[in-house]
Amino acid sequence: MKSQDTLAAVQDVAHLISESCPLLCIQTGLGNLEAAREIVPEKHILLGITYMSGIALSDARVKKGALAKT
């Protein structure tokens, strides 16, 4: 999902989140932890951040950016 949808998605599953069933949030973009902790305690959130850049060359072609591991 896109970062702007994080808050709504966390609200949908908040009743399932606990110490024994943490929220695992792996998304691109920043601000997802901040959005999630508005709904559930931060101690119940596992966060992964990934970054993969690219450049649109045309409607059907993308050039991969940095050569880094996700």
Side-chain angles (χ1 to χ4, degrees), residues 9-58:
V10 174
Q11 287 172 332
D12 287 347
V13 298
H15 65 284
L16 302 171
I17 306 304
S18 68
E19 186 174 333
S20 62
C21 183
L23 173 69
L24 175 59
C25 184
I26 302 176
Q27 297 171 266
T28 59
L30 300 174
N32 298 303
L33 172 63
E34 292 79 6
R37 71 178 177 207
E38 287 184 28
I39 308 299
V40 299
E42 188 171 351
K43 66 182 181 179
H44 295 163
I45 301 171
L46 303 174
L47 178 70
I49 299 173
T50 185
Y51 173 79
M52 186 174 289
S53 65
I55 299 169
L57 301 175
S58 68

